[in-house]
Amino acid sequence: MKKRAILLGVVLAGVGAGCLGYRIHRTRNALEQYKAAFGYATPTRGLEDCVFESAAWKGMLIDSSIAYTDGAHNIEPYDVDRDGTLELIANSYRSDALMTYRIGPAGPPRNEGRWIREVIDSSVGGGFPTFPVKEYAKAVVKQKVLGSYIEGAHYTAIGDLSGDGRADLVVAGDLTKYDVVWYEAAPPGEREPAWKKHVAYRNDFHRTYHVEIGDIDDDGDNDIVFATKTDNSLGWLENRRLPGAWPSVIVDANCCRCFYARTVDVDQDGRTEILASSDDWRGKGGRMCLYKCSANPRIAGDWRRYDIARCPPGHGVSVFLAVDLDHDGDFDIAAGDHQGNVLVMMNPCPDPACGLWDTWRVSEGAAEGGRDLREIDAGDIDLDGDPDIVVADEKNNAIVWFENPGATFCDGWREHVVDQSDVYLRWCHSVRLGDVDGDGDLDIAVAAAGSNVFLLYLNQRPPQNNVLATTMAMRH
């Protein structure tokens, strides 16, 4: 009897091992087919620097040598070294890298200057999560046994954290050991190292998806707000200007599928509020949330959530931007979702927490579910004095902008496709506006995740004076 039991145990163990091996084999084959279909390195190798040109736009390659599929994730034009010229700050998700790009000695992009890449860190998130053990084991199986990709640097925010007047960089380390990392700019003239790395927050089982900078406790320095998406948590880190982790406060532990967070003084009372987006969750519909603190921002119970927009089942808010759309001096909201809707929400200041904001869908030309919007930005693209909206459409591999009608600010937005490509705009993930070539109009910096490429679309409209500075003043 005992021998039969042992034999049965051995047989069952063998069957189990065989099933597990078969599942691992199938999963590895599926991953290899995925890599072959979508390109392990990049489908843009060998393309000319100029990939697209029309009367309005000229698309230029910045970097097509990102090493992994779903690599090029976010990009931001910013004058980091304060020399009057915008650099490009970018992060690569699968290769967990943070880098900057600056134009070479040949001059601005229109003069065929080459972009020079500086890799700040190639291990932003610090590798596998190590605690709890379950998360470490899952990461090892996924990436070592199954042959999947590493994960990491997901989003970069820029602002002065050290109080020295220079721009520092904050990165969300999605599904890695370090959730929030920031890089301190080196003093002038110091080059080695150019950036000093600090780990501000570590919570291995969080999926830290988005970070934002703002003075949450009104003490005169910038703190960090983080959103964790699948972990449904929204929190902030108190700036102590000291080495090591910063004290964390969970503002909301039930902000379902919290994709984005922004810091802004919505009601113009001199205190910083937090805006956060909640995507659709199990068919219940998402929300746009405003968080105000009644007393001490370091006490979680002193924060109160106000729903300023609610979405029907199957819809939500994923990406958004606070911007003054109607020129009344307060921040409104431009938002997008995974169903292809572009929304504008008008601030009922001075009491934005009084109820739901008036909301309009401006993407009338888009069929329901015909797009998947992964990034949004706003600025005066057509130089008429009104902020327009630009989005990254990951589903159709396209860049699209919506022309502000200027009169009602809610009806009559016109849709324009900048470019569409299944080669160099595959999984178009990030779009950001900035006058990169210094000619007085707004260009579009682009990160296309599936194509593993960063691009710059130069605005070829005739320059006009003083319009750009005016319309960018209320963008956050």
Side-chain angles (χ1 to χ4, degrees), residues 331-464:
F331 284 101
D332 309 301
I333 295 173
D337 62 22
H338 296 315
Q339 291 74 39
N341 300 305
V342 179
L343 309 170
V344 294
M345 306 172 186
M346 309 313 291
N347 188 344
C349 197
D351 192 6
C354 65
L356 299 179
W357 293 16
D358 289 337
T359 301
W360 292 268
R361 180 175 181 264
V362 304
S363 54
E364 295 297 338
E368 183 70 15
R371 291 198 173 108
D372 187 350
L373 305 182
R374 292 291 178 154
E375 183 63 278
I376 190 168
D377 203 0
D380 187 8
I381 293 174
D382 54 4
L383 300 170
D384 65 352
D386 300 315
D388 308 298
I389 297 172
V390 62
V391 296
D393 179 3
E394 190 171 271
K395 184 174 183 179
N396 295 307
N397 305 324
I399 308 163
V400 184
W401 73 278
F402 296 85
E403 182 181 347
N404 192 328
T408 63
F409 296 95
C410 54
D411 297 317
W413 290 70
R414 292 181 58 197
E415 177 183 326
H416 306 271
V417 176
V418 175
D419 191 13
Q420 188 279 332
S421 172
D422 295 337
V423 177
Y424 53 84
L425 286 177
R426 183 182 295 166
W427 305 347
C428 185
H429 196 277
S430 177
V431 288
R432 299 297 283 176
L433 295 168
D435 184 12
V436 179
D437 57 5
D439 67 348
D441 55 30
L442 291 175
D443 310 303
I444 306 175
V446 177
S451 297
N452 306 311
V453 66
F454 296 113
L455 304 106
L456 178 65
Y457 282 79
L458 299 171
N459 192 336
Q460 304 201 113
R461 290 169 178 80
Q464 298 181 22

Side-chain angles (χ1 to χ4, degrees), residues 67-133:
Y68 301 95
T69 295
D70 197 12
H73 221 61
N74 285 95
I75 189 166
E76 175 81 29
Y78 199 96
D79 186 6
V80 177
D81 55 11
R82 299 181 295 178
D83 65 351
T85 302
L86 295 181
E87 291 79 43
L88 300 175
I89 296 86
N91 57 267
S92 172
Y93 179 51
R94 299 297 187 192
S95 52
D96 195 22
L98 174 67
M99 63 280 287
T100 63
Y101 296 90
R102 59 182 176 84
I103 197 65
R110 293 185 188 277
N111 295 334
E112 302 300 325
R114 298 290 180 176
W115 289 91
I116 300 172
R117 179 178 65 188
E118 175 192 357
V119 178
I120 296 174
D121 190 358
S122 58
S123 183
V124 172
F128 294 156
T130 54
F131 182 85
V133 175

Side-chain angles (χ1 to χ4, degrees), residues 254-303:
N254 192 31
C255 186
C256 292
R257 290 181 62 82
C258 184
F259 267 78
Y260 263 45
R262 301 288 186 186
T263 59
V264 62
D265 183 4
V266 179
D267 53 9
Q268 299 182 317
D269 65 350
R271 302 188 67 181
T272 302
E273 288 84 41
I274 300 174
L275 291 167
S277 61
S278 173
D279 199 19
D280 178 59
W281 179 249
R282 295 178 179 174
K284 295 181 179 179
R287 302 181 303 268
M288 190 74 216
C289 305
L290 167 63
Y291 293 86
K292 292 174 62 68
C293 185
S294 58
N296 185 352
R298 299 173 186 85
I299 299 175
D302 286 348
W303 286 92

Side-chain angles (χ1 to χ4, degrees), residues 73 91-97 124-127 143 149-155 171-176 178 208:
H73 221 61
N91 57 267
S92 172
Y93 179 51
R94 299 297 187 192
S95 52
D96 195 22
V124 172
Q143 298 178 32
Y149 301 99
I150 193 170
E151 290 145 331
H154 193 276
Y155 187 91
V171 188
D174 191 1
L175 291 172
T176 53
Y178 306 139
T208 307

Side-chain angles (χ1 to χ4, degrees), residues 128-129 134-147:
F128 294 156
K134 178 180 69 174
E135 297 301 319
Y136 175 76
K138 283 168 59 178
V140 170
V141 170
K142 180 181 178 181
Q143 298 178 32
K144 295 295 186 182
V145 179
L146 298 180

